[in-house]
Amino acid sequence: MESVIHKLRNLDAYPKINDDFFSRTLSGGVITLVSSLVMLFLFFSEFRLYLHTVTETKLSVDTSRGETFQINFDVTFPRVPCSLLSVDSMDISGEQHLDIKHNITKKRINLHGDVIEVRQDGIGAPKIEKPLQRHGGRLEHGETYCGSCYGAEMSDDDCCNSCEEVREAYRKKGWALTYPDLIDQCKREGFIQKIKEEEGEGCSIYGALEVNKVAGNFHFIPGKSFHHSHFQVHDLLALQKDSYNVSHRINRLSFGAHFPGVVNPLDGAEMMHVKPNGMQQYFIKVVPTIYTKIKGHTVNSNQYSVTEHYKDAEWMNPDALSGVYFFYDFSPIKVVFKEEHISFLHFMTNVCAIIGGIFTMAGIVDSFIYHGQKAIKKKVAIGKYR
């Protein structure tokens, strides 16, 4: 047993020095104090880093199919009144939505940007419940009101009880409603008067669109549009007078929910044009993104990059419509962000490295100073130091 203990004692890599041989110096005390403070500072820095989360990034192929996503927007048009501003969307699957009103809010603004009115209705005005004659004839006993669609009825039972319903019937027929002042419903609702009252105003429009997760576009145009013979046409050509300027400011544009660190390139973008009736185009590449928070909550969202192009009226295709267009397509690559804590073993390794490294460096510096001072004192004693 004693031989085993003796062998273990010989393996001691830290031979002890008798206390009688210790030599304490002022420089050693200063070095010890400074190194202790540095060690403490680095320890708390490492501990703070350990408490905070780090975000790991990974790329993978996006295999999702048949999903939908949300487009959030807030755009201001200083020179287009709210009564004429509409939102359309369409995608390569053939699905299209014209003059979207659901989840859309408009704010009338004056030339100085002050808000005049906030409303959630679209183009047009509320119904006037004053009875008109049924398709040009008299209302009989017990018969409910049924307004004329002015030739756009699909059947004898079709009714158009408001200016908006007349315009919708015209759209389905592929006709442009260029003279709403000749429509009784529009005259009674004050449709023309409403547009004239908003002349010179601007509009801030914001809301959200729920669309398919395929390539497509959405756009803001002055007037309501419809498709006829594969072309998109305005139904308010006579009212526009070729004078609407599509200058705009994008206050916010995002594809999906917000997540930490996301940067939307078009937030705050402003495009001011001198000539009216131009076409502002934004070509957007959407990158699907998954962000997993430290507590396990997952956010499915998107990032995007963008390029832009503007065409003024003289360079536009005759069938093209003035407005602001956003064309988006999806990247096949998906970005995955995941919040994680640094492992405890990694934290302990770094703490040991801090303590051991500073202790070793302090010992080297102390030894250098101590032996340097001894050499200088020795030279001074024999008179060789100058």
Side-chain angles (χ1 to χ4, degrees):
M1 189 65 182
E2 290 182 1
S3 62
V4 173
I5 294 174
H6 179 72
K7 289 180 180 179
L8 287 176
R9 187 180 292 116
N10 290 334
L11 290 176
D12 186 6
Y14 307 96
K16 311 305 182 289
I17 302 174
N18 192 296
D19 290 343
D20 295 338
F21 298 97
F22 276 124
S23 178
R24 305 183 186 277
T25 61
L26 176 62
S27 61
V30 172
I31 290 173
T32 301
L33 180 62
V34 172
S35 62
S36 299
L37 292 175
V38 173
M39 197 180 301
L40 195 63
F41 172 75
L42 293 179
F43 170 78
F44 278 112
S45 297
E46 190 65 31
F47 185 67
R48 182 181 174 186
L49 182 62
Y50 170 71
L51 293 179
H52 282 68
T53 59
V54 293
T55 304
E56 297 292 331
T57 305
K58 185 171 63 174
L59 298 178
S60 62
V61 177
D62 184 22
T63 58
S64 59
R65 294 290 183 273
E67 298 180 356
T68 62
F69 74 105
Q70 185 170 283
I71 301 174
N72 308 297
F73 63 86
D74 182 355
V75 185
T76 300
F77 293 85
R79 301 179 186 178
V80 180
C82 286
S83 291
L84 292 181
L85 189 61
S86 65
V87 187
D88 302 337
S89 74
M90 57 197 69
D91 59 46
I92 59 173
S93 69
E95 185 171 330
Q96 62 180 12
H97 301 277
L98 304 179
D99 193 20
I100 302 169
K101 298 179 182 178
H102 184 63
N103 290 333
I104 304 294
T105 302
K106 295 178 180 179
K107 291 192 294 186
R108 292 172 56 194
I109 57 175
N110 59 23
L111 293 174
H112 304 290
D114 302 321
V115 178
I116 302 173
E117 180 191 7
V118 179
R119 67 175 186 233
Q120 289 189 319
D121 60 332
I123 298 176
K127 296 180 183 178
I128 303 297
E129 296 299 337
K130 187 175 180 179
L132 298 173
Q133 293 180 342
R134 176 183 175 86
H135 291 183
R138 294 179 177 275
L139 284 171
E140 298 179 2
H141 179 69
E143 196 174 30
T144 57
Y145 164 63
C146 180
S148 171
C149 296
Y150 298 88
E153 297 90 351
M154 296 293 185
S155 67
D156 292 338
D157 295 329
D158 286 350
C159 303
C160 294
N161 296 342
S162 68
C163 183
E164 182 64 25
E165 290 180 2
V166 175
R167 297 173 67 223
E168 185 65 20
Y170 268 55
R171 185 190 68 80
K172 290 179 180 178
K173 279 281 191 177
W175 300 348
L177 183 65
T178 55
Y179 298 101
D181 53 331
L182 301 180
I183 305 299
D184 280 344
Q185 289 91 326
C186 295
K187 288 193 294 184
R188 288 179 178 245
E189 293 174 7
F191 180 70
I192 304 300
Q193 183 63 29
K194 189 177 186 68
I195 293 176
K196 289 181 178 178
E197 286 177 357
E198 296 185 9
E199 190 172 349
E201 293 181 0
C203 186
S204 181
I205 181 169
Y206 58 92
L209 304 176
E210 190 78 19
V211 297
N212 296 321
K213 194 176 178 180
V214 295
N217 75 85
F218 65 99
H219 49 264
F220 303 89
I221 55 175
K224 186 175 180 179
S225 65
F226 63 92
H227 279 75
H228 179 60
S229 299
H230 306 291
F231 293 107
Q232 197 173 19
V233 186
H234 279 299
D235 76 343
L236 291 174
L237 294 175
L239 294 172
Q240 292 189 66
K241 302 177 184 177
D242 297 326
S243 61
Y244 289 108
N245 191 309
V246 294
S247 296
H248 59 282
R249 181 175 64 256
I250 302 174
N251 305 307
R252 179 175 65 96
L253 179 66
S254 62
F255 293 79
H258 175 81
F259 61 89
V262 64
V263 177
N264 299 315
L266 285 177
D267 285 2
E270 190 169 9
M271 296 292 175
M272 294 299 168
H273 308 295
V274 177
K275 296 181 180 180
N277 293 334
M279 177 186 285
Q280 180 69 53
Q281 299 172 312
Y282 295 96
F283 300 93
I284 298 172
K285 177 64 75 173
V286 181
V287 181
T289 303
I290 296 177
Y291 194 97
T292 303
K293 297 185 178 180
I294 194 68
K295 295 182 179 180
H297 177 63
T298 299
V299 179
N300 289 290
S301 187
N302 302 277
Q303 304 176 81
Y304 67 90
S305 60
V306 61
T307 57
E308 59 91 14
H309 180 67
Y310 176 74
K311 292 182 181 179
D312 57 31
E314 60 186 44
W315 294 103
M316 285 172 55
N317 187 303
D319 298 311
L321 302 180
S322 298
V324 179
Y325 294 76
F326 298 86
F327 300 90
Y328 56 85
D329 194 5
F330 283 86
S331 168
I333 300 300
K334 175 172 59 180
V335 180
V336 180
F337 294 112
K338 187 176 182 180
E339 290 183 349
E340 294 179 342
H341 276 306
I342 296 176
S343 68
F344 182 73
L345 289 178
H346 183 75
F347 167 70
M348 290 304 299
T349 301
N350 288 350
V351 169
C352 291
I354 289 170
I355 296 173
I358 293 179
F359 184 80
T360 302
M361 290 301 299
I364 294 173
V365 172
D366 179 58
S367 177
F368 178 79
I369 293 175
Y370 175 72
H371 290 291
Q373 288 177 338
K374 275 187 71 175
I376 291 172
K377 288 179 180 179
K378 187 175 180 180
K379 288 185 177 182
V380 169
I382 61 178
K384 291 185 176 182
Y385 185 78
R386 296 182 181 181

